[in-house]
Amino acid sequence: MAKLIYSTIMSLDGYVADEGGNFDWAAPDEEVHAFVNDLERPVGTYLYGRRMYEVMVAWETMDTVPDQPPFVRDFTEIWKAADKIVYSTTLETVSSGRTRMERVFDPEAIRQMKSQSERDISVGGPGLAGQAFTAGLVDGCHLFLTPIVVGGGTRALPNDVRVKLELLDERRFGNGMVHLHYRTST
Ligand SMILES: NC(=O)c1ccc[n+]([C@@H]2O[C@H](COP(=O)([O-])OP(=O)(O)OC[C@H]3O[C@@H](n4cnc5c(N)ncnc54)[C@H](OP(=O)(O)O)[C@@H]3O)[C@@H](O)[C@H]2O)c1
């Protein structure tokens, strides 16, 4: 049975983007990126809210940008090889391979996908992930805390749900980011 995992890079005060929609402060350096690549390698399917998809779809053409470092080329391959499902009521078409669109988020369909998939499933951004938390579908999360307080913006975690978590692992990076790996517990 596959796990549904929420991974995000967030500010210390819990936001994925600040009030201006900016998240350049969350950009991973080479050490963090290489670590993220290894976490993402087992993922078979990404479930994306439309906003996160609009950011991540840049990886579809990253291999046309010359002189990318190995960790960027590595993630490009990982991303392109995975299946993607984009949730949106407004998007007309998708512009990446192995990608389909859903107009509604159906928790039962995800439950079935988890029971039938051999590879793990990732969910993001936080709007869509919040619905997965509410439906009790999230098995674990990888939170990367960035050493910055941004004061407001888009919350990384939903504010209308209570979830108990068990800490499985932690790691600190040279740039001051901290990785926390939790599994949800009942
Ligand atoms: N910190 C980082 O490293 C990082 C990285 C990438 C992006 N970001 C930022 O993270 C944010 C993305 O998160 P978000 O929470 O704003 O958005 P999100 O969860 O990625 O996407 C929300 C959108 O998904 C669609 N959606 C959600 N639930 C749905 C449902 N039940 N049925 C159908 N469609 C559904 C809707 O699209 P429609 O409006 O089309 O219906 C909704 O507007 C953005 O601000 C982005 O810039 C941060």
Side-chain angles (χ1 to χ4, degrees):
M1 177 152 166
K3 291 189 176 65
L4 183 68
I5 308 294
Y6 174 50
S7 300
T8 192
I9 302 178
M10 60 199 277
S11 66
L12 188 60
D13 52 344
Y15 298 96
V16 298
D18 62 27
E19 273 171 352
N22 184 32
F23 57 95
D24 56 3
W25 43 266
D29 67 3
E30 178 171 354
E31 183 192 16
V32 174
H33 215 305
F35 183 86
V36 168
N37 290 356
D38 288 339
L39 288 182
E40 300 293 304
R41 220 175 294 283
V43 170
T45 305
Y46 288 97
L47 311 181
Y48 285 128
R50 191 254 309 159
R51 287 181 208 278
M52 184 56 81
Y53 176 71
E54 285 173 344
V55 174
M56 296 304 291
V57 75
W59 290 97
E60 184 70 8
T61 50
M62 203 61 84
D63 48 8
T64 64
V65 181
D67 302 326
Q68 292 290 6
F71 65 94
V72 170
R73 291 204 305 271
D74 186 25
F75 187 72
T76 306
E77 283 175 22
I78 293 166
W79 196 81
K80 290 183 79 166
D83 294 327
K84 297 108 188 160
I85 304 175
V86 183
Y87 292 85
S88 175
T89 60
T90 61
L91 205 61
E92 291 184 357
T93 55
V94 293
S95 48
S96 49
R98 309 183 73 104
T99 306
R100 68 181 167 88
M101 198 156 31
E102 291 284 351
R103 295 296 184 201
V104 293
F105 181 76
D106 175 8
E108 193 44 45
I110 305 302
R111 224 162 257 129
Q112 277 181 24
M113 193 188 304
K114 282 173 63 172
S115 70
Q116 290 163 6
S117 299
E118 288 176 8
R119 300 182 67 191
D120 284 347
I121 304 163
S122 173
V123 62
L128 189 70
Q131 296 171 55
F133 273 110
T134 301
L137 288 166
V138 177
D139 300 293
C141 43
H142 293 286
L143 306 181
F144 291 82
L145 300 189
T146 310
I148 187 171
V149 173
V150 298
T154 306
R155 288 176 53 91
L157 291 162
N159 58 9
D160 55 356
V161 66
R162 187 180 174 105
V163 186
K164 279 174 73 182
L165 300 165
E166 181 187 344
L167 182 65
L168 298 181
D169 202 2
E170 78 280 332
R171 171 163 166 174
R172 62 181 286 171
F173 296 91
N175 67 358
M177 279 191 186
V178 174
H179 166 245
L180 300 171
H181 180 199
Y182 293 101
R183 88 173 148 217
T184 52
S185 61
T186 46

